[in-house]
Amino acid sequence: MSKDMGIDLGTATVLVYVKDKGIVIKEPSVVAIDKNTNKLLKVGKEAQLMIGRTPGNIMAIHPLSDGVISQYDHTLKMLQHFIRRACGMTLFKPRVMICVPSGITEVEERAVVDAALQAGAKKTYLIEEPVAAAIGAGIDIMRPNGNMVVDIGGGTTDIAVISLGAVVTSESIKVAGNKFDEAIIKYVRNKYRVLIGEPTAEDLKIKIGCVWPREELKIQQTKGRYLVDGLPKVISINSSEIQEALEEPIKSITEVVHQVLERTPPELVGDISSNGIVLTGGGSLIYGFDRLLSHMTGINARVADDAVSCVAIGTGKSLENIRFIPDGVLNISRNKQEKYL
């Protein structure tokens, strides 16, 4: 039998959900390629360790950018690796459900579908990230009740209002976890004249990052290259500085949340006021994001359980009704009349 699977093809992380097994793969979406032979050397965690540490003939890269495929051939190889690993020894090709940002174009959709088919999928369907996130967070999206989901991934933040199994209004912006890292790098460079790498910025974001003042100030020592003399330097950074560094990207997200609420029908806004705003994705785990959003909107916001895996779980759960999806349908989020979500 084929192993139907749901794939959260994220800019930062790939999660694979296999029917009846749950999440079986959770790896960084990074590949290491030999530039001379174009041979795939490493995928996932092993490739991530190579970033910034490779010799001239090897490059470790993220083949996805801002939630969509930026390097097709490398994405194809990465998908092949993960699909084969999830399938194991089987002669049957799996049916695959892949989640995509809500703002994806038809050309970008086709690139994802083509890559999955070439990677070994029998059939490929797409589901928009906020819909998958809502399902994964345990929201019954088929009810005539408005729910708002804010999914903050690595490359994109997707904000959507969902009712009766369909997206009523949504917005997708290319400001998310990666932009948070870039903001931290820029802040440290400007304030301390020290250059740090993406892994270091991400470590700061995870360990002491915040968007709402912490009850106790956290301090972390960080190594980087001093730009004045080019030598290594150790500096101390505190959580308030990270909060200051993140002000700009966080403001971009909260502004779009406001815009989506302004476009939402009044009846559904009333539902959202009662149900609250659900935050999913790795970016939502930064300290105080729920409190900040509650303060900015006046609506209670909460971080979903297992926020990082919500999209993958929702993508996987939608596989249970995959047999009801008519032929010719690619993006199931846009077929509102069907009951296969």
Side-chain angles (χ1 to χ4, degrees), residues 23 37 89 99-100 102 122-123 130 139 152 162 179 217 226 232 240 263 313 324:
I23 293 172
T37 62
M89 298 297 290
C99 64
V100 292
S102 55
K122 177 184 176 184
K123 277 190 176 181
I139 297 170
I152 307 161
I162 301 166
K179 287 289 189 288
L217 196 68
Y226 191 39
S240 291
R263 298 201 304 264
I313 292 168
F324 299 125

Side-chain angles (χ1 to χ4, degrees), residues 89-104:
M89 298 297 290
T90 178
L91 297 173
F92 298 95
K93 291 184 174 183
R95 290 176 296 184
V96 175
M97 183 84 71
I98 300 179
C99 64
V100 292
S102 55
I104 194 170

Side-chain angles (χ1 to χ4, degrees), residues 31-43 57-59 74 77:
V31 294
I33 304 286
D34 186 323
K35 287 193 285 187
N36 296 335
T37 62
N38 208 31
K39 182 182 176 184
L40 183 72
L41 300 176
K42 300 289 182 183
V43 178
N57 66 311
I58 298 172
M59 61 178 178
H74 297 148
K77 289 175 181 177

